[in-house]
Amino acid sequence: MFRVFIPARYASQRLPGKPLLPIAGRPMLQHVYERAVASGAAQVIVVTDDERIADAVMGFGGEVLMTGAHHRSGTERIAEAVSALGLDSSEVVVNLQGDEPLMPADLIRQVAEDLECLPTADIATLATRIHTAGELFDPHAVKVVMDKDGFALYFSRAVIPWDREAFAVTTEELPPAAEHYRHLGLYAYRAGFLSRYVDLPPCSIESMESLEQLRVLWHGGRIHVAEAITQPGPGVDTEADLNRVRKLLEV
């Protein structure tokens, strides 16, 4: 059994009011919520500090929980919600971002089941293979390197691993034997871990890369990374992303 929490905030530098922007006649957040419900989760809850988002969720029949406005990340917002609900420390909680209207339900279920099978993992997440040099060298595409058991060694916006011989010749194409992975921002945690996470102080590499998962590795936590069983659709960060998703869903 697992629950899905969808952190959603109204403020966005590039797309103000992003969770409520219309796609195919419905707010983007409703599409995300419906993907979570389709995953088979025991409960789906939107966590927010904004009454406009809360009203929209209740308007489409969803469940919402109000949190404080001080949180620095969606993970911290979910931690407050988990504490308020008094969940058992062993319960599996999935963090699904509110700007992922095309996230396959199969991946939401996959990341939850992966954590359930790994008692030594603090977090489970997913990644997909990178097939183009453009994606590999894109700083908006977060790369991850894993050990032999699939546990994350490092996440970075830079190219990791760096193929010294191949990239000395060209960075316009991938080496034939390249194995590079792009991290998907989909996480599963145990409720007990979230209560510990909020007490972990931020670290320098987290600030430098602007990647909150590095805080976990810095403090000795273990993040298991499985290869996604299907390719996710695009998330929405920019106006161009929004238009692309609208074209995919408005058919």
Side-chain angles (χ1 to χ4, degrees):
M1 184 186 79
F2 64 95
R3 304 171 195 261
V4 176
F5 286 72
I6 305 171
R9 62 189 186 93
Y10 193 87
S12 171
Q13 291 184 343
R14 288 182 285 189
L15 288 174
K18 181 166 64 170
L20 303 185
L21 293 175
I23 299 175
R26 291 174 288 169
M28 176 163 56
L29 190 56
Q30 184 174 352
H31 291 277
V32 179
Y33 193 93
E34 290 170 354
R35 296 278 173 155
V37 170
S39 73
Q43 186 178 30
V44 179
I45 306 176
V46 174
V47 289
T48 186
D49 62 354
D50 194 282
E51 293 288 352
R52 291 164 291 189
I53 291 177
D55 290 343
V57 174
M58 290 185 287
F60 63 70
E63 186 174 354
V64 65
L65 191 152
M66 298 298 293
T67 63
H70 60 284
H71 298 299
R72 295 166 294 181
S73 69
T75 304
E76 292 183 4
R77 193 176 301 280
I78 291 172
E80 181 189 338
V82 165
S83 177
L85 293 171
L87 299 188
D88 185 86
S89 62
S90 64
E91 287 209 41
V92 173
V93 172
V94 174
N95 177 349
L96 174 61
Q97 298 300 315
D99 56 6
E100 294 283 354
L102 292 175
M103 180 62 70
D106 286 349
L107 295 189
I108 301 170
R109 185 166 54 252
Q110 180 190 3
V111 76
E113 291 176 347
D114 190 45
L115 184 64
E116 289 172 342
C117 294
L118 292 165
T120 63
D122 295 302
I123 298 177
T125 190
L126 303 177
T128 56
R129 288 287 294 268
I130 292 175
H131 297 289
T132 68
E135 184 178 16
L136 180 62
F137 285 88
D138 180 359
H140 298 294
V142 177
K143 276 68 70 174
V144 58
V145 172
M146 295 85 79
D147 69 13
K148 65 181 180 63
D149 296 316
F151 285 92
L153 294 171
Y154 193 68
F155 297 85
S156 182
R157 298 182 184 279
V159 178
I160 53 172
W162 180 266
D163 191 322
R164 187 181 67 173
E165 300 299 328
F167 292 144
V169 177
T170 180
T171 57
E172 297 298 319
E173 58 186 40
L174 296 185
E179 286 194 14
H180 293 92
Y181 290 88
R182 178 174 185 162
H183 176 233
L184 304 182
L186 181 66
Y187 299 95
Y189 325 87
R190 289 184 181 84
F193 169 77
L194 286 170
S195 66
R196 300 192 302 275
Y197 173 83
V198 294
D199 292 329
L200 297 177
C203 62
S204 59
I205 56 173
E206 172 192 4
S207 301
M208 291 170 64
E209 296 259 21
S210 190
L211 297 174
E212 64 173 304
Q213 64 268 40
L214 290 175
R215 187 187 314 183
V216 178
L217 297 184
W218 176 269
H219 289 283
R222 305 192 78 200
I223 303 176
H224 189 262
V225 186
E227 187 167 358
I229 57 176
T230 188
Q231 189 72 23
V236 178
D237 290 319
T238 66
E239 188 76 32
D241 295 334
L242 178 64
N243 291 332
R244 179 166 52 159
V245 170
R246 280 174 171 164
K247 288 179 181 178
L248 292 169
L249 289 176
E250 293 175 352
V251 293

